[in-house]
Amino acid sequence: MMDTIKIKAAAERLLEGTDLFVVGCSCTPANEVELLVDSDTSVSIDACAELSRALEAEFDRDEEDFSLTVASAGIGSELKCLRQYRKLVGSPVEVLLANGTKITARLDAADEEGITLSYEEKQTVEGHKRKQTVTVTRTYPFADIKYTKEYLDFK
């Protein structure tokens, strides 16, 4: 089976100096390798093809046969690395917490510990009979988050 760590390291080396970065790499027992990349701007098909050709030149198919797919981390896919989170600061995201709570909010900040979200929530406000909608800002550690996705509103 192909070593995904070597493939990922080679891809990161080849992408140095560009706005592209590696999101993840997986390999099946049949040596079908899938490398996911993302960008601070956008990922073109040509960039994926160029990276694929460069990676195939680095590994010997006679030594170990493999199938390589280089793809963009798609819209609506789960965020996997901090750079993806930082790219979406100021944008709406959908977060599923480990306790099963789903939150649609604006991503305000992201660092190594977790993310900060702003969203509206109904709360009891002193002096009012009914719950009022207030904007809340909360920080969630990555340990409490099951997944985060970019939120796309088609309205």
Side-chain angles (χ1 to χ4, degrees):
M1 193 156 97
M2 291 290 290
D3 187 359
T4 57
I5 296 170
K6 286 182 183 176
I7 295 168
K8 193 173 177 181
E12 286 171 347
R13 186 174 31 76
L14 290 166
L15 294 175
E16 279 181 14
T18 69
D19 70 341
L20 293 170
F21 56 93
V22 176
V23 172
C25 185
S26 62
C27 183
T28 67
N31 271 351
E32 295 170 348
V33 179
E34 182 178 60
L35 180 71
L36 293 178
V37 295
D38 204 346
S39 166
D40 296 323
T41 53
S42 66
V43 180
S44 70
I45 293 172
D46 293 336
C48 289
E50 186 179 321
L51 179 59
S52 178
R53 283 191 292 276
L55 283 171
E56 286 190 18
E58 293 227 356
F59 295 94
D60 186 9
R61 282 187 184 269
D62 293 334
E63 187 179 305
E64 190 168 15
D65 193 29
F66 64 94
S67 164
L68 175 65
T69 304
V70 177
S72 167
I75 293 176
S77 62
E78 296 179 16
L79 304 182
K80 297 185 192 280
C81 66
L82 185 58
R83 194 164 169 184
Q84 287 181 298
Y85 281 93
R86 288 187 173 148
K87 176 176 110 172
L88 290 177
V89 168
S91 301
V93 292
E94 177 183 292
V95 179
L96 179 64
L97 300 176
N99 66 10
T101 306
K102 192 180 274 191
I103 302 168
T104 302
R106 186 181 75 235
L107 180 62
D108 289 335
D111 59 26
E112 289 77 19
E113 281 82 48
I115 59 175
T116 303
L117 302 174
S118 292
Y119 54 94
E120 292 186 345
E121 184 176 82
K122 289 196 178 250
Q123 292 183 350
T124 305
V125 177
E126 194 174 317
H128 296 320
K129 289 184 179 183
R130 295 190 178 143
K131 288 186 176 184
Q132 301 294 309
T133 303
V134 295
T135 301
V136 214
T137 301
R138 290 202 176 109
T139 300
Y140 297 94
F142 285 118
D144 292 350
I145 299 172
K146 207 171 202 174
Y147 73 73
T148 304
K149 295 179 181 181
E150 182 176 8
Y151 179 72
L152 302 170
D153 190 7
F154 294 105
K155 292 181 183 175

